[in-house]
Amino acid sequence: MEYILRTNNLTKKYGKKVVLNNVNINIKKGDIYGFIGRNGAGKTTAMKLILGTSFATSGAVELFGSGDLNVQRRRIGSLIEIPSLYKNCTALENMRRFSILYGGNDNDIKNILAMVGLQDTGKKKVGKFSLGMKQRLGIAIALLGSPELLVLDEPVNGLDPAGIKEIRDIILRLNKELGITFLISSHLLDELAKVVTVYGIINNGCLIEEVPAQVLYTRCNNLKIVTDNCEKAKMLIQENFGITHIDIKNNTLFIYSDLDKSAMINKLLVNNDLNVYEVSVSASGLEEYFIERIGR
Amino acid sequence: MKNMLKFEFYKLFRTKAFYICSGIILGLILLFSYIMNEFSLINALDFTEEFIENIPVELIFAVFIGLFICDDNSNGTIKNIYAKGYSREVVYFAKYIVLFITSFVLISFYILFSFAWGNLLWGTENYDITQKDIYIIISQVIFIMERYTFCFAVSTIISRKGAAIAINIILPQLAEVLSIFIDMLLDFEEPYIYNHILRNLYNNIYNNETFLKFSLFALIYSVVFMLISFLINNRKQV
């Protein structure tokens, strides 16, 4: 398995305060890694250590399988906290300046600006851009030089719903079409859930768990079936659909995978002379799961 | 390093402050020539030396260097540079080299321009260039380059435009006053620290020995300023 980014016991202390405690992040090629945690949990600090804008107290970062970080960082695009831009310059001038360091020619700049919808900003200075436009320009700059990993810290912060959708579409397109790997932090969990393939949950500087989105989805959602013979129903479902992750609680069946087969399961049970009183999908949601994991 | 140098030069030539500050000095040369003409000063060499003595080029440099060096920090764009794998050392030296070359070229140009302008106004006949004249001109270049390193160091450490400019301007004056105060406290027979402030060394150049002493101290001060700012910059987290 090709890892794009791994951290080994990454720790950051400010004086006696530990803001990041032995964090081990593992991001595979093609992942959209959602980094979630409360304010001050250590998300931005971890990203800064990965990008080298801040220094780790201990631990190590490995990028693209190498410890030669400054060389490997050329393959990363980033947007940390608020977009860092030359406010007295136009979008084009900002792109031109950074293209000297990041790579990319005028044609690339034009294409990237079009991709983020900033191709028609003309002579308007970046200082007069809306927050959404600045965020998009920040992403455009991060895309210069064809990065293989994009590190985005709160990329949809302060955006309106349309702006959020635009950023989401860009992320999905870049991931699918160009195979770019993402490390994204956000407070908007439901929004993050629409793009993320792996979650990293961080709390008080500790990475609590890394979990694939599919696994988390099944943990958050289940198919609830109320029938007159739960044991028989469980056996039938296992035999016919190969579903193993089934629980029985209070004469109710809970199925944690293959939720899309509810109609077929219902038909199977009825055809086998079982009375089915209720079939419903119960979704607790990412937010509840997150709160449960980090504690209130 | 090549990319960083290209990046810094590109930014420099697109910075309005660069043209404004350069233009102000040129304007001052022209204005000064008008004033000197009124005082019936009559040769280009005297005019150049008077310009060097009276126009505070280092103050204008202090403003420009503060604006330019702190720009990446105040915009936060320094994060983008470090995050792309450009080390603090490379960024530091690229900025230093670009501004060193620019400051050197500018001050040399101003001296040559004032001399040429003086020749144009008052003719080329009535002056002889002595060793003292050469000392005055070369030491002015050295003095400005030392002041450049000081302003660069302060701006790198402070990283905020307003504060950096203020300190660039105030600290050299303050250092003179403080040196007198320390000399008084230490009860030297004659001022010791004050006499080693660069401006005083500069004002007392009259032979090879004093010129060499001035040059040596300019170099020492420059190295110290660079070393301090380099070490602090390397530990900065953004």
Side-chain angles (χ1 to χ4, degrees), chain A residues 165-195:
Chain A
K165 187 182 178 305
E166 277 174 28
I167 300 289
R168 185 207 312 151
D169 291 345
I170 291 169
I171 290 169
L172 287 172
R173 190 156 20 116
L174 291 170
N175 180 254
K176 288 202 171 70
E177 291 175 10
L178 302 176
I180 295 175
T181 307
F182 283 86
L183 166 59
I184 308 172
S185 76
S186 180
H187 291 114
L188 302 174
L189 300 183
D190 288 334
E191 190 51 43
L192 210 56
K194 290 172 186 162
V195 293

Side-chain angles (χ1 to χ4, degrees), chain B residues 194-205:
Chain B
Y194 179 71
N195 284 348
H196 289 86
I197 293 282
L198 204 67
R199 182 171 283 284
N200 293 322
L201 289 168
Y202 171 67
N203 288 337
N204 290 308
I205 294 170

Side-chain angles (χ1 to χ4, degrees), chain A residues 70-84:
Chain A
N70 277 344
V71 172
Q72 301 306 324
R73 282 185 185 123
R74 305 283 159 94
R75 300 162 73 179
I76 301 178
S78 62
L79 174 61
I80 296 291
E81 296 169 320
I82 52 166
S84 304

Side-chain angles (χ1 to χ4, degrees), chain B residues 16-31:
Chain B
K16 274 185 196 161
F18 170 67
Y19 296 102
I20 292 170
C21 292
S22 307
I24 287 172
I25 299 174
L26 270 183
L28 285 172
I29 293 173
L30 299 177
L31 189 66

Side-chain angles (χ1 to χ4, degrees), chain A residues 54-55 76 86 101-102, chain B residues 14 72 80 84 86 237-238:
Chain A
S54 193
F55 306 120
I76 301 178
Y86 294 104
L101 296 177
Y102 288 25
Chain B
R14 277 162 182 76
D72 275 323
N80 297 356
K84 204 64 182 176
Y86 291 92
Q237 310 196 56
V238 291

